[in-house]
Amino acid sequence: MGFMRCRKCGGAAVINMRQHKLSLCGEHYSEWFVAQTDRAIEKYKMFTRDERVLVAVSGGKDSLSLWDTLLRLGYQADGLYIGLGINDPAPYSDASLEKTRAFVESGEWRVASGEDPASPITRYTPLLHVVDIEETYGKSIPQIARDKTRGHGKPCAACGLTKRYVMNRLAHDKGYAVLATGHNLDDEVAVLMQNTLRWQTGYLARQAPVLPASREGLTRKVKPFCRFYERETATYALVRGIDYIYDECPHAVGNLTNFYKTLLNQLETQSPGAKLSFYLEFLRARGEGAFEPFNQVETLHECEVCGQPTTAPGRCAFCRMWDVEKLDRATV
Amino acid sequence: MQIMFRDKKYEIKGGISARDAIKKIGVDPEAVLVVVNGKLVTDDAVLKDGDDVKLVAVVSGGQLCIAD
Ligand code: SF4
Ligand SMILES: [Zn+2]
Ligand SMILES: [Zn+2]
């Protein structure tokens, strides 16, 4: 069997990254991946080892790989799992939580591979926060979505709004300096493509590896995997033996993001490196001020119920959707 | 040899690179990883009759979509 060789050791490669003209074996890939993550964290000034990091975990390959990588690098990274209650037709949410729990309990991230200098045995013992939406707010995501859309349409709008809120709220209440998500380059370019096709300059201005906490009550958001292709995070998960949820949320099937991912992969196949340069050149243009919103009208208000920052006076979008009148601030 | 992808089986003749085999069954090589006899390989690997080949889709939404 003819195969590519690892550039470092000449062994059989597990991945060939055409955009970097680099092929590596499992051991050297794992080392490279961890080191690249640390470089991105430093380059974009995401966080330091003195800061507490909250990782949004879904049980998928990206978020578990991110948590694993941060722990191997010695960061103080805890996890937040949000139970959406999407268990029909298959128990998707329950299975995702199980994978997440199994990951923390396995202590897999503790195992140093001996030769691998990128994996010092970490002394940080991670915490997993679980917020079950139905237990906390009385309804699951599919239930609230059904109520709000009268049974029509996907639950994604309600889901996205709720997740954003819960993540921000918990990060803030528990005193985390930063909220990290596992978005990879394919996620980023899919969104970039959607926003570019419609010249949504406001959204383009806000798409970045780091979103500073612009206001009191919000937490800095970072995407340490934003320069990795999706196939790279998947490869890392396989090489590390991370048992992740393979299925996608049933509501993600056929969504626009996946459609753009498919298109961009076709482009990448014809022209290796196209996705990477699309993203990096966008960041360059953005850094040069190409998308500064010329009309920033975001005035600061506090939600009269939960106290979170909001753009309009009264209740925030989350409290309006959930019809929250009074919120026990202690329980998220 | 047999290629497994998303609970489906495809029968392909050996002596072909994984990349060409993937294209033959109508999948974009960029969107999958190739596991041959339990080992992750690059897609230039030549597949032989009798190999046990699995394709792993790299796209997975998890539930972090629209969460930024
Ligand atoms: S696809 Fe929609 S419902 Fe499913 S996790 Fe993503 S936003 Fe939520
Ligand atoms: Zn090697
Ligand atoms: Zn509110």
Side-chain angles (χ1 to χ4, degrees):
Chain A
M1 179 162 93
F3 53 78
M4 296 217 110
R5 297 197 170 273
C6 171
R7 187 197 279 178
K8 290 238 167 105
C9 70
V14 296
I15 188 166
N16 175 28
M17 294 173 281
R18 287 181 175 80
Q19 80 281 22
H20 300 310
K21 298 192 173 59
L22 179 64
S23 52
L24 293 168
C25 71
E27 187 188 320
H28 288 121
Y29 178 67
S30 170
E31 195 177 281
W32 177 87
F33 186 91
V34 171
Q36 288 295 312
T37 306
D38 213 22
R39 278 174 66 174
I41 292 168
E42 278 167 24
K43 179 180 164 71
Y44 298 111
K45 298 189 175 58
M46 293 184 174
F47 47 84
T48 65
R49 284 179 176 71
D50 301 326
E51 291 181 303
R52 291 171 64 232
V53 183
L54 184 64
V55 183
V57 284
S58 69
K61 66 179 193 308
D62 298 299
S63 57
L64 290 184
S65 294
L66 176 59
W67 201 3
D68 181 77
T69 304
L70 295 184
L71 290 170
R72 289 177 74 194
L73 283 165
Y75 288 103
Q76 305 177 50
D78 291 338
L80 164 60
Y81 178 87
I82 303 175
L84 304 171
I86 300 172
N87 287 315
D88 190 33
Y92 170 73
S93 289
D94 289 353
S96 309
L97 176 58
E98 231 166 81
K99 300 276 185 200
T100 306
R101 282 227 159 95
F103 171 79
V104 206
E105 280 156 19
S106 73
E108 200 45 64
W109 34 271
R110 269 181 211 281
V111 181
S113 67
E115 291 87 45
D116 187 352
S119 63
I121 296 178
T122 168
R123 250 180 267 137
Y124 186 73
T125 305
L127 262 177
L128 173 65
H129 303 279
V130 177
V131 176
D132 186 274
I133 297 299
E134 187 170 359
E135 258 169 43
T136 314
Y137 299 107
K139 282 176 193 168
S140 69
I141 291 295
Q143 285 165 346
I144 183 96
R146 227 173 286 135
D147 292 358
K148 293 290 152 180
T149 63
R150 291 179 209 86
H152 301 294
K154 291 193 166 212
C156 297
C159 183
L161 173 64
T162 305
K163 281 187 294 199
R164 265 194 295 273
Y165 181 90
V166 170
M167 285 177 195
N168 209 67
R169 175 109 206 171
L170 192 122
H172 178 256
D173 290 358
K174 306 253 182 218
Y176 286 96
V178 48
L179 177 69
T181 54
H183 292 96
N184 57 48
L185 188 137
D186 292 62
D187 295 325
E188 293 302 300
V189 289
V191 171
L192 179 56
M193 180 113 169
Q194 289 176 54
N195 290 337
T196 303
L197 288 177
R198 295 159 67 199
W199 288 115
Q200 299 268 22
T201 52
Y203 287 140
L204 289 168
R206 264 176 286 152
Q207 191 180 350
V210 179
L211 271 187
S214 47
R215 310 173 223 140
E216 180 59 32
L218 290 180
T219 305
R220 187 188 333 146
K221 295 195 180 84
V222 300
K223 300 168 185 170
F225 281 179
C226 65
R227 295 192 298 186
F228 287 132
Y229 281 10
E230 188 138 43
R231 62 184 296 111
E232 292 162 17
T233 58
T235 298
Y236 180 79
L238 289 191
V239 166
R240 287 282 289 159
I242 294 173
D243 184 20
Y244 63 89
I245 181 127
Y246 187 67
D247 297 321
E248 282 187 88
C249 172
H251 303 292
V253 177
N255 72 9
L256 209 53
T257 306
N258 283 351
F259 172 71
Y260 284 119
K261 279 186 178 180
T262 306
L263 272 184
L264 286 156
N265 275 340
Q266 286 169 7
L267 177 64
E268 182 73 22
T269 302
Q270 297 299 317
S271 168
K275 290 189 295 193
L276 182 65
S277 75
F278 184 28
Y279 186 59
L280 293 183
E281 291 303 311
F282 158 70
L283 289 186
R284 183 190 50 74
R286 184 185 174 276
E288 290 167 357
F291 306 107
E292 278 325 309
F294 62 92
N295 191 6
Q296 229 164 348
V297 283
E298 276 188 297
T299 10
L300 174 69
H301 297 276
E302 252 191 25
C303 169
E304 62 187 29
V305 178
C306 72
Q308 286 278 294
T310 165
T311 44
R315 292 186 296 172
C316 71
F318 176 87
C319 291
R320 270 183 280 131
M321 183 178 81
W322 285 92
D323 286 326
V324 182
E325 301 294 346
K326 257 189 289 140
L327 201 66
D328 182 356
R329 290 190 186 206
T331 61
V332 179
Chain B
M1 122 276 311
Q2 263 189 355
I3 301 185
M4 282 284 294
F5 181 52
R6 292 194 191 278
D7 302 327
K8 276 199 201 119
K9 279 185 191 153
Y10 301 85
E11 196 55 50
I12 301 264
K13 261 184 102 61
I16 179 176
S17 76
R19 194 175 177 84
D20 288 339
I22 294 165
K23 285 184 181 163
K24 254 201 166 134
I25 62 177
V27 175
D28 189 330
E30 199 56 34
V32 289
L33 301 180
V34 191
V35 178
V36 179
N37 305 324
K39 278 200 182 129
L40 193 55
V41 299
T42 52
D43 62 12
D44 64 322
V46 176
L47 307 176
K48 299 187 304 283
D49 284 322
D51 276 345
D52 162 38
V53 185
K54 274 196 203 86
L55 303 183
V56 178
V58 301
V59 181
S60 87
Q63 53 170 44
L64 289 179
C65 28
I66 336 180
D68 48 340

